[in-house]
Amino acid sequence: MALVTAEMEVTEVIQETHDVKTLKIEWPAGADYQFKTGQFITVYLPADPKTKRAYSLSSCELDRGFYDITVKKMGNFGTRLNEVVKQNDKLMVISPTGKFLLPDDPKKDLILIAGGSGVTPFRGFVRYCNVKRPETRITILYSVRVPEDIIFKDEFEKLAAKNPNFLFKVTCTRATPEHGYSGTWDGHRGRINSDWIREQIRSLSDSVFYACGPTELVVSTEKLVVEEMGIPKAQMRAEKWG
């Protein structure tokens, strides 16, 4: 299907963390776009058509009439989008594409490994499965520096409370006095490792592993899963954000 470009209005800007915002982008009147959960859109400012960036959708295909993208203040374009775009502003949007999708079999267990804003497409996964695939077991292993960096914390915790098949687990890499952190964190600490991943596996052959986030995290996760743990590469899906 050919990609379509359309001007859309930002109808809501939600502050998720100190440096992350979600933009709700309304479809044009009468539009009924068809896409798949986990895909991405490409956006650019109307006044600057040469500068474009792809963002994974943090909404899912059941969310009709709008797209959500969640933007970290990072890099020239990401910082610009995060700081400059306000409610009622316009964005040019190229329709969704991409292959970072849910498996066809709803009985497969999903182990979703994310760092920083890499958790954004997994919000769409959880939203979709909560309605359409409640039998799918989903575990998010999410690495952030400190608790204040956790994106979608309230939403994920509420969904986990309602759905026993959804587990939301966070590790903080810098939530210690040694790193200058003065807050409180009683949860998991340190980088995601193979032992923590193994703890989530019920049936190896019936699990699909996803990694999304900065290139360094995704590459290290692929090594953990495929090389160190010996899991077939066909059971691993990755989305790198340079």
Side-chain angles (χ1 to χ4, degrees):
M1 184 181 294
L3 298 179
V4 176
T5 302
E7 184 179 77
M8 301 187 191
E9 182 178 342
V10 176
T11 57
E12 191 173 0
V13 178
I14 302 164
Q15 190 83 44
E16 303 287 358
T17 70
H18 67 99
D19 62 351
V20 176
K21 293 178 180 177
T22 293
L23 308 183
K24 186 173 184 178
I25 306 169
E26 188 171 324
W27 297 352
D32 187 25
Y33 299 121
Q34 303 303 312
F35 62 97
K36 295 184 178 181
T37 300
Q39 291 189 311
F40 64 87
I41 57 174
T42 300
V43 302
Y44 60 94
L45 298 166
D48 185 11
K50 293 183 178 180
T51 306
K52 302 178 175 71
R53 179 163 175 186
Y55 284 94
S56 292
L57 293 171
S58 50
S59 50
C60 76
E61 63 197 82
L62 303 177
D63 297 316
R64 309 305 297 164
F66 66 94
Y67 298 129
D68 276 350
I69 60 172
T70 301
V71 181
K72 184 178 176 66
K73 193 184 295 184
M74 182 176 63
N76 290 334
F77 188 77
T79 299
R80 190 176 171 192
L81 208 60
N82 184 289
E83 292 182 342
V84 172
V85 174
K86 309 298 182 191
Q87 187 175 358
N88 303 131
D89 284 353
K90 300 294 196 298
L91 284 177
M92 301 304 296
V93 178
I94 302 174
S95 54
T97 188
K99 299 179 180 179
F100 194 66
L101 309 175
L102 290 162
D104 293 332
D105 186 353
K107 295 180 182 178
K108 295 290 185 183
D109 287 353
L110 309 183
I111 298 177
L112 313 180
I113 300 166
S117 58
V119 78
T120 57
F122 298 152
R123 179 188 189 227
F125 282 20
V126 175
R127 280 187 167 194
Y128 180 84
C129 288
N130 225 43
V131 175
K132 291 293 187 179
R133 298 184 178 186
E135 73 275 29
T136 299
R137 187 175 191 261
I138 300 176
T139 302
I140 291 180
L141 299 182
Y142 184 27
S143 175
V144 295
R145 292 172 302 171
V146 294
E148 289 76 13
D149 292 333
I150 301 172
I151 305 170
F152 309 134
K153 180 179 183 292
D154 290 345
E155 179 174 352
F156 280 146
E157 288 180 347
K158 287 175 183 176
L159 289 172
K162 293 178 181 178
N163 182 358
N165 283 326
F166 171 47
L167 305 173
F168 179 53
K169 302 187 177 187
V170 179
T171 185
C172 291
T173 61
R174 302 181 72 85
T176 64
E178 291 79 8
H179 290 109
Y181 184 69
S182 59
T184 301
W185 175 248
D186 297 325
H188 201 282
R189 285 187 170 86
R191 296 182 181 275
I192 294 171
N193 57 34
S194 57
D195 289 338
W196 204 35
I197 297 172
R198 283 192 183 96
E199 290 174 9
Q200 320 310 321
I201 299 173
R202 297 194 301 181
S203 167
L204 183 56
S205 61
D206 291 323
S207 298
V208 182
F209 300 81
Y210 290 76
C212 187
T215 298
E216 181 183 359
L217 177 133
V218 174
V219 170
S220 66
T221 301
E222 288 178 308
K223 288 180 179 177
L224 282 176
V225 172
V226 178
E227 296 179 18
E228 185 176 331
M229 298 174 66
I231 294 168
K233 196 170 183 179
Q235 290 175 237
M236 179 83 210
R237 301 178 186 181
E239 190 103 302
K240 300 182 184 75
W241 295 354

